[in-house]
Structure formats: structure tokens, C-alpha cells
Amino acid sequence: RMRRTLRSPSRRSPSPTPGGAGPGPRPALVPILALALALWAPLSACSSLRPREPEQTRGQRIAELIRVGEYQKALDVAEKHARERPDDAKAQERYRVASIAWLIEQTRRACFEDRDEEALAFVEQALEIGPDQPVVRMWHEKIYAKLAQNWMDVAGDRLAHDDLEGARAALERVLAYAPGDPRASEAL
């Protein structure tokens, strides 16, 4: 069927230009060109055909994702970049920062949902990665203070029910989270 629609090179179609200045496009080629253009357009947007993202742009993208609270996306982009460039100090630092941001977000969510032991696990991971980060230290202190208060409440409840051993164990937990807490020390 294709042969029937294509004209042989010796047979020219009438010229569409005024004055018959030359041969025009072959009618059978017009749909093929249209199809080629239609297929090329989506392919031109394909990420594998685009040049690699410049270093500064990727760093800016990670920073922007963190700024708008897209911690998982930032972590994914940073992790991929760090894997592609294991010897690149900037890529590794971006991955560290994105990891800390993600862990602190998990800490925050767990804390606000009263999943304090889980929050502690997240913030301790962040503390291992970024002990120099003030926000990590602040959340670590906040979780420790919250856990100490929770155990102080448990101790009070146990004392109210004449459970002296339970109260003592709870007060020891308070001191584990808040060493030297005067209330816990005095109650013991």
C-alpha cells in the first residue's frame, strides 16, 4: 500500500509556488513529516535527552525543596546526586543537609503526634549526621525535656496509686533524660 501512495522520483507533482518555480512537496511525504514532528515533540522533552543539570542549579533545587517543605523530594534528589558523584564534597554535603532536614521533619511530626520514643530515634540519627546543626541540638533538647516530663507525670501517677517501685523506676527515667533534674532527684 505504501508504494501506491508514494510517487516515483520521475513523476513530479505540480508546483504549489506561484509561477511554477519548482517542484512542491510530495503529497505522500506531508503526512510522514507531520507524524515525525508529532513523535519528535514529546521526545524532545525527555529527560534523558536533556543535558545534565548544572551543579549550582541542582544545589539550588535541593535548597528550594527544603525551603518549601518538600523534604522527601529534596532527599531523593540529593541522594541520587551523591551516588552519581561519590567523590564530590558538595554533593555529599547536600545529601547530609537534606538527610538532616528530612530527619528533623520526621522528629517534628512524631513529637507533635506524641510518638516521643520514635521522635527521639529520628533526632538521634540527625544528631549523628549533624552535631554542628543548632536546629538538631534544639530538637534533641526538646525531645529529652518532653520525655522527662512524660516520665515525671508517670511517676506522679504511680505515687498517687501507692506504687512506690513504679514511681521510683519512672523517676530514674526522668533522670536519664534530664540528669540532675531537681524534682526527680528530690523525689528519689
Side-chain angles (χ1 to χ4, degrees):
R1 286 186 177 244
M2 187 65 112
R3 290 182 182 226
R4 289 185 199 165
T5 58
L6 293 177
R7 296 180 190 250
S8 69
S10 61
R11 296 176 61 193
R12 298 187 179 228
S13 60
S15 173
T17 56
R26 295 185 185 123
L29 290 179
V30 172
I32 293 172
L33 290 174
L35 177 63
L37 284 173
L39 291 174
W40 178 79
L43 288 175
S44 67
C46 181
S47 64
S48 64
L49 297 178
R50 278 190 239 134
R52 284 188 162 238
E53 193 172 5
E55 194 68 27
Q56 189 168 2
T57 302
R58 193 172 307 202
Q60 290 170 342
R61 180 171 176 222
I62 292 166
E64 178 64 15
L65 288 168
I66 290 171
R67 190 186 68 73
V68 299
E70 294 285 343
Y71 303 107
Q72 184 63 56
K73 286 181 185 176
L75 182 60
D76 292 343
V77 171
E79 181 179 21
K80 180 181 180 214
H81 187 58
R83 281 188 186 160
E84 289 172 356
R85 299 177 182 218
D87 297 329
D88 184 344
K90 286 182 181 180
Q92 299 308 313
E93 178 61 15
R94 288 182 189 124
Y95 179 50
R96 184 181 84 90
V97 168
S99 297
I100 291 168
W102 184 86
L103 286 164
I104 291 301
E105 174 61 13
Q106 299 310 305
T107 299
R108 187 188 69 78
R109 287 177 187 224
C111 179
F112 292 152
E113 294 170 4
D114 292 324
R115 296 179 288 123
D116 300 321
E117 294 292 333
E118 191 175 335
L120 180 61
F122 283 124
V123 79
E124 285 181 342
Q125 288 178 43
L127 194 59
E128 287 178 22
I129 297 170
D132 59 325
Q133 299 294 312
V135 70
V136 173
R137 290 192 311 270
M138 185 269 306
W139 273 101
H140 190 259
E141 291 168 10
K142 180 181 181 86
I143 298 300
Y144 262 56
K146 187 176 179 187
L147 285 165
Q149 184 58 53
N150 289 349
W151 283 107
M152 185 60 90
D153 294 344
V154 169
D157 185 55
R158 301 245 169 104
L159 279 173
H161 290 92
D162 293 325
D163 177 8
L164 296 179
E165 286 302 312
R168 181 175 184 76
L171 290 169
E172 288 172 358
R173 295 289 301 264
V174 170
L175 291 173
Y177 293 116
D181 183 286
R183 300 170 302 161
S185 299
E186 187 178 309
L188 277 176

